[in-house]
Amino acid sequence: MTSPALADRLRLSADLRMVRPAVVYAAMFGAVGTFYPYASVLFESRGIDLAMIGLLLALQGVASLVAAPAWGAFADRVGRIHIVLFASTLVGALGAGLLAFATDPVTIAFSLATMAIGTGGMIPLADTRAVEIAGERRERFARARAWGSAAFIAGSIIAGWLMSGRSPDWLFVLYVPLLVATGVASWRLLARDPRGASTARSRRRVRAGPPLGGITALLSIPGLLLLLVGVTAIWTAIGAVMAFISIHVANLGADLATIGLMWGVGAAVEIPIMLAFPTLARRAGSERLLLLGAVAFALRAAGWGLATEPLAALLIAPLGGVGFALFYVGIVSFVANAVPPEAQATAQGLYTGLTFSLGSVVGSVVAGLAAPVIGLSCLFLASGAATVAATLVVARAVSVVRRPAAGRPPATA
C-alpha cells in the first residue's frame, strides 16, 4: 500500500472512531437545547419573580463551576472517564426529575443545584474522552462536537413546538430522557477498546494523591495559570453580553421570532467551522484559531453595542458562532496538548467547565449592576474592549506554555 493511500486509510479510520463521541454529544446537547433556552420561562410560569430567577440562574452557575473540576479530578483519579460521565448524567437526571415536580423556591433551588452538580461535569468529561479517542490529532474531536451544536438547535426547536400551547413543564418529557440517554451512550460508546486497553492504561496513568491535588500541579506549569485567568476573563465578558442581548434587541424593536433566529444563527454557524477545525488547525495551529475566535467575540460585542436596529443585530450574530467554534474547540485542543495524560479530565474541567461557569455567573452579575448605570449599548462596547484585553492575556499565556504532548504517543481509543 502506498504511503498516501495508507495515510488516507488512517484518516478515515480516525474519523470513523469519532462517530462514538458524536452520538454522545448529540444526546447531551439535545438535552441542553431542550432546557436552557427555556429555563427562565419555566421559573416564571411557577410564580418566581425576576429577581429570584436571577438568583436561581446564578446558583446553577455556581454549582456547575464547583462541579466541573471536581468531576474531572475524580475521573483522573479513577482512570475511567466514561463511568464518571455516566454517574454525572445520572445525578443531573435525578436533579431534573426533582425539578419537574418542585413548586416552591426552596425545593426548586435544591433540585436545580443537584441538577447543575451533575450536568456541570458532562461537557468537560465528554471533551476529555473525545480528545483521547481522536488520538494524535486532538483537534479532530471538533468533528464529533459539531453534532452537538446541530442537536442543540434541534432540541430547542422540538422543545418549543412541544410546549406550544402547553405548560413549560412539558420540556421535562424530553430533557430527563435525553440526560439518561447521554449517560447510557457514554457507558456503552466511550469505554476503551478492549483490544488496546492495556496500552491505553500505560499511556494514561491513574493519578494518585489527594483528589484535587492535580489542580495545583497543573497550575504550576508555566503559562497555564495566566491562561486560566485570560480564558475566565473572556467568558466573563461574553457572559455579560449574553445575559442581556435578548432584552437589548427587543428594545430595538425585534419580535420573539427574530430573537430566536438570532440565537439559532450563531449555533448553526458553529457546525461547518467545527467540522473544518482539524484542517484549519493543521494549517494555522489551534493557538491562532482560539485567538481569532476571541477576536470574533470582541467584534460581535462591539457590533451589538453599535447596532441601532434588529436587522443589524441579526447580521452580526454569526460572529458568535465563529467565536465559539474557534475559541472553545481551540482551548480544548490546546489544553489537551499542553498537559500530561493523567491530568486531562482535571484540565478540561478547569479550562472549559470552571471558566465558562464562573464567567457566566460573574458576567451576569456585573452586567446587571452596570447596565442601569451606563446602558446596554455602552455595556456591550465595554465588553468588547474587555475581550480584547483578555485576548492579549491569552496570547501571552499560549506563547509561554510548554507543550509536553508534542512528543507524546497518541491516546488510544
Side-chain angles (χ1 to χ4, degrees):
M1 182 178 295
T2 64
S3 179
L6 177 60
D8 289 341
R9 183 173 179 178
L10 291 174
R11 280 195 292 269
L12 177 61
S13 175
D15 287 339
L16 289 176
R17 286 204 307 268
M18 300 315 295
V19 171
R20 290 182 285 154
V23 173
V24 175
Y25 278 129
M28 179 185 302
F29 285 96
V32 172
T34 64
F35 180 82
Y36 287 94
Y38 306 104
S40 59
V41 177
L42 172 71
F43 298 144
E44 187 178 42
S45 72
R46 296 185 179 181
I48 307 297
D49 61 35
L50 294 179
M52 182 58 69
I53 289 174
L55 291 176
L56 287 173
L57 294 177
L59 171 65
Q60 181 180 356
V62 170
S64 294
L65 73 88
V66 173
W71 282 113
F74 183 55
D76 281 330
R77 185 173 177 82
V78 303
R80 297 290 189 274
I81 294 177
H82 68 289
I83 295 177
V84 179
L85 178 53
F86 175 69
S88 72
T89 60
L90 292 187
V91 173
L94 173 62
L98 295 174
L99 184 60
F101 299 99
T103 55
D104 62 279
V106 174
T107 308
I108 290 174
F110 174 79
S111 304
L112 187 64
T114 302
M115 185 188 81
I117 288 171
T119 58
M122 287 169 34
I123 296 175
L125 289 173
D127 288 343
T128 303
R129 187 65 186 112
V131 165
E132 282 189 343
I133 293 174
E136 187 175 20
R137 295 301 304 175
R138 304 299 179 87
E139 296 84 2
R140 194 179 287 114
F141 97 96
R143 290 178 177 164
R145 176 59 179 80
W147 291 98
S149 296
F152 177 90
I153 298 170
S156 62
I157 293 173
I158 294 172
W161 170 81
L162 182 64
M163 292 184 293
S164 180
R166 300 185 177 96
S167 166
D169 292 330
W170 277 81
L171 69 85
F172 291 103
V173 173
L174 294 174
Y175 186 51
V176 176
L178 282 171
L179 287 177
V180 175
T182 301
V184 173
S186 303
W187 179 279
R188 299 294 298 174
L189 299 178
L190 299 188
R192 296 191 184 280
D193 186 344
R195 294 171 296 179
S198 60
T199 303
R201 279 195 294 268
S202 68
R203 290 173 179 169
R204 190 180 195 281
R205 300 184 299 275
V206 176
R207 180 174 50 77
L212 297 179
I215 295 178
T216 302
L218 273 178
L219 298 182
S220 67
I221 297 176
L224 284 187
L225 178 58
L226 184 62
L227 181 65
L228 183 69
V229 172
V231 172
T232 303
I234 287 176
W235 286 127
T236 299
I238 294 168
V241 170
M242 301 314 292
F244 289 99
I245 183 56
S246 294
I247 295 175
H248 179 59
V249 177
N251 291 340
L252 295 179
D255 56 17
L256 292 178
T258 301
I259 293 173
L261 180 61
M262 185 183 66
W263 281 81
V265 164
V269 170
E270 296 169 13
I271 299 172
I273 297 177
M274 288 184 178
L275 291 174
F277 192 91
T279 301
L280 296 174
R282 282 197 298 271
R283 296 179 179 179
S286 58
E287 299 95 328
R288 292 187 181 91
L289 293 179
L290 71 89
L291 293 174
L292 182 60
V295 171
F297 279 138
L299 292 174
R300 182 186 64 173
W304 276 344
L306 296 173
T308 57
E309 57 183 46
L311 179 59
L314 179 62
L315 294 176
I316 293 166
L319 285 171
V322 175
F324 185 83
L326 295 180
F327 184 73
Y328 177 83
V329 176
I331 282 293
V332 171
S333 302
F334 180 81
V335 170
N337 282 316
V339 303
E342 64 272 16
Q344 288 288 318
T346 303
Q348 298 300 346
L350 278 172
Y351 287 90
T352 63
L354 184 147
T355 58
F356 179 81
S357 298
L358 181 61
S360 297
V361 173
V362 176
S364 298
V365 172
V366 171
L369 295 174
V373 178
I374 64 176
L376 290 178
S377 293
C378 289
L379 173 68
F380 295 162
L381 292 172
S383 173
T387 303
V388 171
T391 301
L392 296 176
V393 174
V394 172
R396 173 59 181 167
V398 299
S399 71
V400 300
V401 170
R402 297 173 184 171
R403 306 185 66 184
R408 171 197 318 152
T412 302

